[in-house]
């Protein structure tokens, strides 16, 4: 089992999907600094992807400073991998684009989207401050 959530979508590059999911897990704090990262073999088997693809994923994450390889320990989340506000905004780019495209398809105006977003933000903020309130308010994860 992988230490971060991912559901591969057919038709999209598995390599890009895994790099994105792993980066998102680090940026969001799901994988804190020093956390072990799956080996190439574990990644390949868990996701049923080519070992070469898994190797490229790990190499990319190391190159980006998200992961580091420690002799005798293995691959772990890099200590300096804390994310900036810009990194977090970058992770929102795709879901925001999808939201805008869907809103335009439905004929909504920008203010309609902003109002819906603000309303949902307030609702989820109340739930996160009081998780016992109701879990039904929590959204399905974006794919």
């Amino acid at each position: 089992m992988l230490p971060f959530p991912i559901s591969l979508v057919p038709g999209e590059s598995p390599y890009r999907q895994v790099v994105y999911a792993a980066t998102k897990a680090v940026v969001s704090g799901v994988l804190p600094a020093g956390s072990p990262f799956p080996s190439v073999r574990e990644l390949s088997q868990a996701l049923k992807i080519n070992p070469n693809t898994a190797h490229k994923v790990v190499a990319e994450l190391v190159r980006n400073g998200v992961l580091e390889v420690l002799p005798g320990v293995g691959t772990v989340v890099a200590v300096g991998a804390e994310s900036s506000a810009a990194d977090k905004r970058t992770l929102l780019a795709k879901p925001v684009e999808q939201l805008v495209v869907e809103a335009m398809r439905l004929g909504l105006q920008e203010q309609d989207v902003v109002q819906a977003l603000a309303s949902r933000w307030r609702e989820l903020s109340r739930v996160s401050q009081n998780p016992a309130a109701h879990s039904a308010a929590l959204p399905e994860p974006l794919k």
Side-chain angles (χ1 to χ4, degrees):
M1 182 159 180
L2 296 176
F4 57 92
I6 182 169
S7 179
L8 295 179
V9 178
E12 293 186 29
S13 163
Y15 164 76
R16 289 184 185 177
Q17 291 180 68
V18 179
V19 167
Y20 176 82
T23 303
K24 181 177 179 181
V26 171
V27 168
S28 67
V30 171
L31 284 175
S35 296
F37 194 80
S39 68
V40 167
R41 183 179 192 172
E42 291 170 326
L43 205 55
S44 172
Q45 290 175 344
L47 296 173
K48 296 178 178 43
I49 61 174
N50 188 301
N52 291 332
T53 301
H55 177 73
K56 282 175 46 179
V57 166
V58 172
E60 175 74 13
L61 293 169
V62 168
R63 203 172 25 259
N64 291 345
V66 175
L67 301 178
E68 60 184 334
V69 180
L70 301 177
V73 176
T75 307
V76 298
V77 176
V79 173
E82 291 83 25
S83 60
S84 67
D87 292 335
K88 292 176 182 179
R89 281 192 303 274
T90 299
L91 287 174
L92 279 178
K94 184 176 180 181
V96 168
E97 180 179 346
Q98 291 170 334
L99 173 64
V100 170
V101 168
E102 184 64 13
M104 291 173 118
R105 186 186 71 77
L106 294 171
L108 297 173
Q109 298 297 312
E110 180 181 354
Q111 63 269 18
D112 298 327
V113 177
V114 170
Q115 184 179 17
L117 178 63
S119 173
R120 188 67 172 154
W121 186 281
R122 286 188 301 273
E123 182 180 332
L124 291 174
S125 293
R126 283 192 304 271
V127 170
S128 69
Q129 291 168 1
N130 183 11
H134 60 82
S135 60
L138 296 177
E140 291 294 316
L142 293 175
K143 293 182 182 176

